[in-house]
Every structure is written in structure tokens, then in C-alpha cells.
Amino acid sequence: SPWIVPLAMDKESFYFAGHYFGIVHPAAYRMCFPLKITVWFRRNILGQPTPVFDACASHFNTPWTAALIHCATPEAGLVVLMR
């Protein structure tokens, strides 16, 4: 994939750039986030929120990503920061 960034490989999901064996189907996007039982445990047992976000720079330069994110999570917002 031309969107492979060696310095960020261990920090970002790169899910919609196809780094999970070329899979970019919205139904499998959930595997990049905490398990539902983990979120439930933190909220109900520990009394702590579980911040969940995908801060992957490849979302900015892969043209198909916004549509796939919307399909996977229609209520999500896409924030782009440039410096």
C-alpha cells in the first residue's frame, strides 16, 4: 500500500488504509477498538469513561476513508488538524 508510514506503524490503526491484510470493510472496523466488555467494566465497575477515538493521519490522505467511516459509525465526526 502506498499509504504505509513506517514511523507510525506501531501507533495508529491504519485500518481504512488497508493495513489489515487489505480489509477495509466497515463491519470489521470494530476490531481496532476496546472490547465491549472492557468498556462495560471500566464504566460500571471502575467508574471511569473509556475514551475511544481513531487518530490516524492516513484518514486525511486516503480518499475513500470518510465514506467508510460514515458507513461504520454514522454519528462519528472527522476532525482534521494540520500544522
Side-chain angles (χ1 to χ4, degrees):
S1 169
W3 287 275
I4 293 176
V5 181
L7 295 175
M9 288 298 291
D10 61 343
K11 300 187 301 183
E12 301 175 8
S13 73
F14 289 101
Y15 179 77
F16 288 114
H19 287 227
Y20 288 93
F21 308 105
I23 299 170
V24 294
H25 194 278
Y29 185 49
R30 182 96 177 107
M31 73 178 176
C32 297
F33 298 100
L35 297 172
K36 289 182 179 183
I37 189 71
T38 304
V39 174
W40 177 89
F41 181 80
R42 287 182 56 94
R43 183 178 57 236
N44 295 312
I45 305 301
L46 300 179
Q48 300 173 349
T50 303
V52 178
F53 59 92
D54 188 353
C56 185
S58 71
H59 295 342
F60 182 61
N61 64 358
T62 50
W64 56 85
T65 298
L68 289 171
I69 289 175
H70 177 72
C71 187
T73 55
E75 300 296 318
L78 181 62
V79 177
V80 176
L81 300 173
M82 295 178 62
R83 56 182 173 145

